[in-house]
């Protein structure tokens, strides 16, 4: 093999004679490399088994000359470390009941109290699906770019939803992968499951009834509603005049608010970049419905723009212009930008903050950081202790004056026997347990001074605010000591 030489000679003068030496290219490169330490771990890159990531102890579990921090499969068992719960044990990799015992050693794989040898269905559905789609999952996991990886998983979960008869199976898989840390949050990918569900059965309510809205924080619901409005738009049909009743079969359940929030996602699919039209449809609903709906609009809008146009200083600074939005929508838009950026950065606050700081408007920047922080905290809370249906807040709007006006009520408790006497301005209802109650009441239904009593007693924890968010709506929030009769009446 012919060695290459530098064309520039090294000249050494000795007395009056001059000696010209030529240095071998590979020798010079090796000499330079010997002094390079890119990851600053005090080990030369020439001998470092992981030159770009610190590995001071040169740990290499499988002895393949690739240090553990740089090795995507530490134990060489064919399962990438991000999926492998036991990445230093080639005999185990899965633990889908999350009890710390690998599936091969675990006598009760699904933790249902029945040992596997006597269990008719011993393996969790999430474990079965991972085994079925292992190659697809690992293909997405190996992607370095967060946005590309998220889109890969979205497409993958669409395929799972198509293959599975029960949409809950796809959601169970997304929750499991979220707990492992393979996907940073299952909310976004569950949108795709909802899209596919509606495509296969184009009925909003049939797809939502019986589903648990706590799974992936309502993402499936948002996907179903988005697909519904997308189809209406694709068919060239006018915007549905009964859009505000689409979710009515879910009134009184915690899933109702997920459905109303999903309406906002769907409106953006219908009106596309016409943000004003989407917001107007939300504003034509009751106060709290508007709040939920607007949140959905802004989440879908910010996601659409950042996905299509990319994240740059120009794009993100013009996403939520204060000159074009009222103060409430300006705040919500920037908060939603932060929420969207959380998904684009694997819920990494430091990385998301850098993107929020691209926003030129300082107020917008702060609201973006607020949304980013909220989304990360909410995601972590969900992973640690998901809300069950019995603990989750239920949105229970009460329609008065023939349905033209609404008193919005939120509470984990069940509201029954609601009565409103317009002339006496008297509101009464029964709660089935002592849980907080939050109400948004049009000011025209209230006197200037009201008294709130539960079983004749004024609650110790009582808060009243007038003209919430600048609207002619008052908020009353209280925490009762017991279940029973609630009465809100003018103070005589």
């Amino acid at each position: 093999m012919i060695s290459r030489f530098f064309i520039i000679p090294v000249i050494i003068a000795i007395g009056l004679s001059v000696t010209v030496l030529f240095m071998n290219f590979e020798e010079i490169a090796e000499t330079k490399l010997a002094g390079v330490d890119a990851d600053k771990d005090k080990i030369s890159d020439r001998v470092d088994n992981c030159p770009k990531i610190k590995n001071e102890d040169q740990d290499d579990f499988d002895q393949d000359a690739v240090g553990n921090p740089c090795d995507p499969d530490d134990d060489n068992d064919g399962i990438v470390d991000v999926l492998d719960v036991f990445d230093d044990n080639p005999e185990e990799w899965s633990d889908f009941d999350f009890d710390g015992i690998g599936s091969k050693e675990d006598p009760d794989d699904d933790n249902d109290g029945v040992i596997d040898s006597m269990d008719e269905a011993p393996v969790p559905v999430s474990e079965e699906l991972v085994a079925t789609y292992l190659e697809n999952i690992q293909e997405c996991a190996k992607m370095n770019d967060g946005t590309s990886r998220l889109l890969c998983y979205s497409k993958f979960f669409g395929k799972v939803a198509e293959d599975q008869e029960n949409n809950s199976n796809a959601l169970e898989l997304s929750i499991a992968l979220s707990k492992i840390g393979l996907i940073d949050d299952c909310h976004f990918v569950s949108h795709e499951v909802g899209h596919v569900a509606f495509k296969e059965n184009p009925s909003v309510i049939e797809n939502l009834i019986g589903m648990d809205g706590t799974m992936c924080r309502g993402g499936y619901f948002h996907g179903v509603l988005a697909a519904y409005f997308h189809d209406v738009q694709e068919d060239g049909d006018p915007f549905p005049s009964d859009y505000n009743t689409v979710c009515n079969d879910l009134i009184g359940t915690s899933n109702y608010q997920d459905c109303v929030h999903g309406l906002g996602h769907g409106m953006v699919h219908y009106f596309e970049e016409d943000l004003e039209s989407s917001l107007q449809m939300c504003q034509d609903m009751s106060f709290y419905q508007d709040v939920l709906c607007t949140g959905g609009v802004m989440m879908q809008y910010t996601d659409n723009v950042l996905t299509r146009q990319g994240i740059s200083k120009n794009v993100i600074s013009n996403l939520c212009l204060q000159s074009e939005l009222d103060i409430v929508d300006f705040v919500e838009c920037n908060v939603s930008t932060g929420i969207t950026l959380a998904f684009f950065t694997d819920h990494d606050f430091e990385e998301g903050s850098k993107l929020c700081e691209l926003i030129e408007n300082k107020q917008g920047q702060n609201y973006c950081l607020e949304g980013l922080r909220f989304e990360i905290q909410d995601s972590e809370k969900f992973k640690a202790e998901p809300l069950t249906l019995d603990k989750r807040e239920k949105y229970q709007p009460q329609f008065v004056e023939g349905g033209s006006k609404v008193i919005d009520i939120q509470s984990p408790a069940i509201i029954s026997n609601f009565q409103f006497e317009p002339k006496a301005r008297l509101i009464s209802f029964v709660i089935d347990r002592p849980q907080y109650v939050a109400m948004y009441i049009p000011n025209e239904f209230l006197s200037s001074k009201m008294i709130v009593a539960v079983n004749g007693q004024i609650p110790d924890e009582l808060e009243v605010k007038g003209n919430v968010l600048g609207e002619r709506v008052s908020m009353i929030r209280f925490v009762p000591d017991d279940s029973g009769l609630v009465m809100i009446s003018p103070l005589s």
Side-chain angles (χ1 to χ4, degrees):
M1 180 178 180
I2 300 174
S3 296
R4 291 181 296 157
F5 294 88
F6 273 110
I7 61 172
I8 301 175
V10 177
I11 302 175
I12 302 176
I14 305 175
L16 296 176
S17 64
V18 177
T19 303
V20 180
L21 301 177
F22 290 91
M23 295 185 69
N24 182 287
F25 178 83
E26 283 78 9
E27 289 176 354
I28 292 176
E30 187 173 344
T31 301
K32 288 184 175 181
L33 187 61
V36 174
D37 180 15
D39 57 9
K40 308 297 183 186
D41 62 359
K42 299 179 182 179
I43 298 170
S44 168
D45 287 357
R46 184 169 58 85
V47 294
D48 196 339
N49 65 13
C50 186
K52 294 184 178 180
I53 305 175
K54 285 186 178 182
N55 187 23
E56 294 178 0
D57 297 329
Q58 295 293 279
D59 293 332
D60 179 14
F61 179 81
D62 54 10
Q63 298 296 305
D64 61 356
V66 181
N68 289 351
C70 292
D71 194 340
D73 181 9
D74 279 356
D75 55 12
N76 261 359
D77 61 357
I79 308 297
V80 292
D81 290 346
V82 288
L83 177 60
D84 193 339
V85 182
F86 306 95
D87 58 12
D88 59 357
N89 180 357
E91 300 300 320
E92 289 277 16
W93 67 271
S94 61
D95 175 24
F96 287 93
D97 58 358
F98 305 99
D99 62 357
I101 306 173
S103 297
K104 290 183 179 178
E105 294 291 329
D106 196 340
D108 181 9
D109 268 0
D110 56 8
N111 242 9
D112 64 353
V114 180
I115 59 173
D116 293 347
S117 59
M118 301 181 66
D119 196 338
E120 293 183 1
V123 180
V125 65
S126 54
E127 184 172 349
E128 291 181 350
L129 292 176
V130 168
T132 301
Y133 298 104
L134 184 59
E135 184 177 342
N136 305 82
I137 293 171
Q138 296 202 103
E139 181 182 337
C140 294
K142 292 174 183 176
M143 292 185 173
N144 293 322
D145 178 67
T147 301
S148 298
R149 186 167 57 250
L150 188 59
L151 293 175
C152 180
Y153 279 124
S154 293
K155 183 178 179 181
F156 161 68
F157 276 101
K159 172 178 171 56
V160 176
E162 288 176 354
D163 293 347
Q164 297 294 308
E165 290 186 13
N166 188 343
N167 291 315
S168 291
N169 288 351
L171 297 180
E172 289 287 357
L173 174 60
S174 69
I175 291 171
L177 296 188
S178 176
K179 286 183 177 180
I180 293 170
L182 203 64
I183 55 177
D184 67 311
D185 188 277
C186 64
H187 179 87
F188 187 90
V189 297
S190 66
H191 280 209
E192 189 62 30
V193 179
H195 295 165
V196 172
F198 186 82
K199 180 180 177 181
E200 294 181 340
N201 177 20
S203 167
V204 171
I205 288 302
E206 286 181 19
N207 279 298
L208 300 187
I209 285 181
M211 293 297 288
D212 183 352
T214 65
M215 298 176 78
C216 300
R217 298 181 297 155
Y220 169 81
F221 282 62
H222 308 163
V224 169
L225 269 300
Y228 162 63
F229 282 103
H230 176 76
D231 277 11
V232 172
Q233 196 253 17
E234 284 285 298
D235 293 341
D237 295 334
F239 190 82
S241 58
D242 62 347
Y243 74 97
N244 58 346
T245 66
V246 167
C247 303
N248 280 8
D249 285 352
L250 298 173
I251 286 177
T253 72
S254 58
N255 291 342
Y256 181 68
Q257 54 194 355
D258 291 315
C259 187
V260 175
H261 181 85
L263 285 175
H265 284 266
M267 290 169 187
V268 177
H269 279 271
Y270 184 88
F271 293 110
E272 296 180 327
E273 303 303 317
D274 183 0
L275 184 58
E276 184 178 351
S277 291
S278 293
L279 293 174
Q280 183 58 57
M281 292 299 167
C282 293
Q283 290 162 6
D284 288 343
M285 302 172 74
S286 75
F287 174 79
Y288 192 62
Q289 286 173 328
D290 179 15
V291 171
L292 292 170
C293 177
T294 297
V297 165
M298 292 305 188
M299 281 184 69
Q300 191 65 56
Y301 166 71
T302 54
D303 176 61
N304 283 3
V305 174
L306 294 177
T307 299
R308 293 170 185 171
Q309 299 183 27
I311 303 173
S312 66
K313 186 177 183 67
N314 180 59
V315 170
I316 202 167
S317 289
N318 288 284
L319 192 58
C320 309
L321 293 175
Q322 196 166 15
S323 60
E324 297 180 3
L325 299 169
D326 65 32
I327 183 59
V328 175
D329 292 338
F330 172 74
V331 172
E332 187 62 44
C333 184
N334 282 287
V335 167
S336 292
T337 299
I339 293 172
T340 299
L341 290 174
F343 289 98
F344 278 56
T345 57
D346 289 344
H347 283 66
D348 184 314
F349 185 77
E350 184 177 349
E351 291 302 311
S353 296
K354 293 176 184 177
L355 299 178
C356 281
E357 288 163 5
L358 293 175
I359 299 173
E360 292 180 349
N361 183 294
K362 191 64 179 177
Q363 283 184 309
Q365 190 180 116
N366 290 335
Y367 289 130
C368 178
L369 290 169
E370 182 182 319
L372 175 69
R373 186 179 293 107
F374 168 79
E375 169 56 32
I376 291 173
Q377 291 174 348
D378 199 48
S379 176
E380 290 303 316
K381 190 188 301 181
F382 173 81
K383 291 175 186 176
E385 189 179 356
L387 283 172
T388 55
L389 287 173
D390 62 317
K391 293 181 179 179
R392 195 166 179 237
E393 179 180 277
K394 300 170 184 63
Y395 175 35
Q396 303 165 77
Q398 306 297 325
F399 299 89
V400 297
E401 290 190 358
S404 62
K405 294 288 184 180
V406 177
I407 294 176
D408 295 311
I409 305 180
Q410 305 160 254
S411 176
I414 300 295
I415 306 299
S416 61
N417 299 331
F418 179 87
Q419 300 287 330
F420 174 61
E421 298 293 339
K423 291 184 179 179
R425 297 179 184 250
L426 173 66
I427 299 170
S428 66
F429 54 89
V430 174
I431 52 174
D432 70 339
R433 49 195 161 129
Q435 293 282 347
Y436 72 85
V437 177
M439 306 175 67
Y440 297 96
I441 309 172
N443 287 348
E444 62 200 81
F445 294 159
L446 298 171
S447 296
S448 57
K449 293 184 179 180
M450 305 289 292
I451 186 169
V452 179
V454 181
N455 298 327
Q457 301 294 317
I458 298 175
D460 292 332
E461 292 187 46
L462 173 64
E463 180 183 9
V464 180
K465 286 184 180 179
N467 297 326
V468 182
L469 297 178
E471 299 291 328
R472 290 187 52 76
V473 173
S474 293
M475 185 273 289
I476 296 176
R477 188 183 190 280
F478 60 91
V479 181
D481 294 325
D482 204 349
S483 59
L485 179 65
V486 177
M487 295 192 70
I488 301 173
S489 56
L491 183 62
S492 56

